[in-house]
Amino acid sequence: MRLETLILVSLLAAIPVAFVGTIGFIGLVGPHIARMVIGEDQRFFLPASALSGALILSARSVVSKALIPGTVFPIGIVTSLIGIPFFISLILSSTRRSW
């Protein structure tokens, strides 16, 4: 049951990222960051999730424009380079806690 659930959740997370690209990754990482900062209180969690997603995307946009002056890197590349290590560390830390 646990393996089937893991596969289903992985597919449900992969489908939006496949359709909208790595920018959709922010929709996965933003709520986790908000939950770490705000906690479980739903009154503050939803606005904090939206705000964290907006801040992450804005920061990635600034970084993609500031890496090399005169050249704009695709924001998806910058998002994947910064977001994927964070998300992997988040998964590994939650896996360690569940054992």
Side-chain angles (χ1 to χ4, degrees):
M1 177 74 169
R2 185 175 184 173
L3 179 62
E4 293 168 349
T5 304
L6 179 65
I7 291 170
L8 179 65
V9 169
S10 298
L11 287 174
L12 289 174
I15 289 170
V17 173
F19 277 106
V20 298
T22 55
I23 293 176
F25 204 72
I26 294 171
L28 299 172
V29 175
H32 288 291
I33 293 173
R35 182 167 285 130
M36 287 189 299
V37 173
I38 300 296
E40 297 289 330
D41 191 358
Q42 295 297 314
R43 295 175 296 164
F44 304 114
F45 176 66
L46 185 61
S49 292
L51 184 63
S52 68
L55 289 174
I56 291 169
L57 191 57
S58 297
R60 302 298 192 260
S61 177
V62 169
V63 168
S64 72
K65 293 174 185 172
L67 283 176
I68 298 175
T71 304
V72 178
F73 284 99
I75 194 168
I77 293 173
V78 177
T79 301
S80 64
L81 289 176
I82 299 172
I84 290 173
F86 172 77
F87 200 61
I88 289 173
S89 70
L90 185 68
I91 290 171
L92 292 177
S93 68
S94 67
T95 304
R96 285 187 208 123
R97 281 186 265 143
S98 67
W99 294 104

